[in-house]
Amino acid sequence: MNQNKKIIGLTGSIATGKSLVSKHLIDLGYNIIDADKIAKDIVNEKEIIRKIKSNFGDDIYFNNELNRRKLAEIIFKDQNKRKILNSIMFPAIYHVIKEKIENLSGMIFIDIPLLFENKEINKKYDLIFDEIWLVYTDVETQINRLMSRDNISRKYAMNKISSQISVEDKKEMSDIVIDNSGKIEETLKQVDSILGK
């Protein structure tokens, strides 16, 4: 990476509150490259639509809108379908990320939900982080927040959480840990303190 850039991977696990931290950094004026937002934009590109339809059926789009819930259910249940979707999406997503990095300087945060799960993919596309920041909560808080947020059962929440690398393991692999188990103000205070250093 160029000398005038510092690339920071911002990640978490489902329902740990990464979006809260990401929004705070944007409010403070930092450069954030949001991988999820890029993915949402890319599914509207002609070539991507064609590939998704040919692998998941024409009815996966309705009135030119991707049925995200239906697609999420398919790939949650079928690992092979998940791989197919990733092979369609990843090259396009990483191309946009790299392009955006080229055009920015200073501290650049790349908001990637499954950063550790996609470690090999990051390597493949030569996405190198100077630091990794993790937004953390204990598992019980994570379960309760997910149940409340998505209006789902405890069992389904636990299944969703266990489909990712555990947040405790991610803690060990991160350079900076932001504990979001308490009040919002406490979380944001931690972020400000880290930035101050």
Side-chain angles (χ1 to χ4, degrees), residues 75-109:
I75 65 166
F76 187 65
K77 290 173 187 161
D78 187 335
Q79 283 300 312
N80 196 42
K81 289 283 190 190
R82 181 188 290 267
K83 281 178 186 163
I84 291 167
L85 183 66
N86 289 347
S87 73
I88 296 168
M89 296 292 289
F90 281 156
I93 292 168
Y94 280 87
H95 175 73
V96 175
I97 289 173
K98 297 300 285 285
E99 214 171 49
K100 284 179 181 284
I101 290 171
E102 280 302 309
N103 295 317
L104 294 168
S105 60
M107 273 172 99
I108 304 164
F109 289 89

Side-chain angles (χ1 to χ4, degrees), residues 6-192:
K6 183 172 186 177
I7 311 296
I8 298 172
L10 177 67
T11 194
S13 281
I14 192 167
T16 58
K18 181 180 56 59
S19 303
L20 169 75
V21 173
S22 187
K23 185 186 178 306
H24 184 58
L25 290 166
I26 291 167
D27 291 345
L28 292 172
Y30 286 93
N31 292 312
I32 304 272
I33 299 172
D34 185 335
D36 263 1
K37 189 180 181 307
I38 292 168
K40 279 174 186 161
D41 292 342
I42 276 169
V43 295
N44 298 317
E45 291 179 5
K46 268 184 187 170
E47 187 55 19
I48 301 290
I49 291 171
R50 188 189 65 74
K51 287 178 180 175
I52 290 176
K53 278 184 175 180
S54 73
N55 284 282
F56 295 89
D58 285 350
D59 62 344
I60 202 78
Y61 281 85
F62 182 72
N63 287 341
N64 293 324
E65 279 285 312
L66 177 65
N67 186 337
R68 293 175 195 283
R69 180 165 280 213
K70 186 177 178 183
L71 186 60
E73 281 171 11
I74 292 168
I75 65 166
F76 187 65
K77 290 173 187 161
D78 187 335
Q79 283 300 312
N80 196 42
K81 289 283 190 190
R82 181 188 290 267
K83 281 178 186 163
I84 291 167
L85 183 66
N86 289 347
S87 73
I88 296 168
M89 296 292 289
F90 281 156
I93 292 168
Y94 280 87
H95 175 73
V96 175
I97 289 173
K98 297 300 285 285
E99 214 171 49
K100 284 179 181 284
I101 290 171
E102 280 302 309
N103 295 317
L104 294 168
S105 60
M107 273 172 99
I108 304 164
F109 289 89
I110 305 179
D111 181 334
I112 302 188
L114 300 175
L115 188 150
F116 290 113
E117 288 81 354
N118 292 335
K119 219 172 182 180
E120 291 307 310
I121 309 292
N122 293 332
K123 206 180 279 181
K124 180 182 173 182
Y125 291 101
D126 195 32
L127 185 58
I128 299 155
F129 302 103
D130 296 306
E131 275 182 9
I132 294 173
W133 291 20
L134 174 77
V135 183
Y136 167 89
T137 64
D138 59 272
V139 177
E140 196 54 38
T141 304
Q142 201 183 353
I143 291 167
N144 291 331
R145 283 184 185 165
L146 187 55
M147 284 166 66
S148 166
R149 187 191 81 185
D150 292 0
N151 194 22
I152 56 175
S153 70
R154 185 177 178 87
K155 186 171 186 282
Y156 190 31
M158 287 169 76
N159 282 347
K160 280 186 134 181
I161 289 166
S162 64
S163 73
Q164 299 180 351
I165 295 171
S166 94
V167 75
E168 297 300 333
D169 288 344
K170 288 180 181 182
K171 204 176 174 182
E172 298 299 314
M173 297 186 273
S174 301
D175 300 297
I176 302 276
V177 177
I178 299 155
D179 191 338
N180 186 36
S181 304
K183 291 178 179 169
I184 288 174
E185 305 79 60
E186 289 165 1
T187 301
L188 301 185
K189 218 179 259 182
Q190 287 174 66
V191 176
D192 294 343

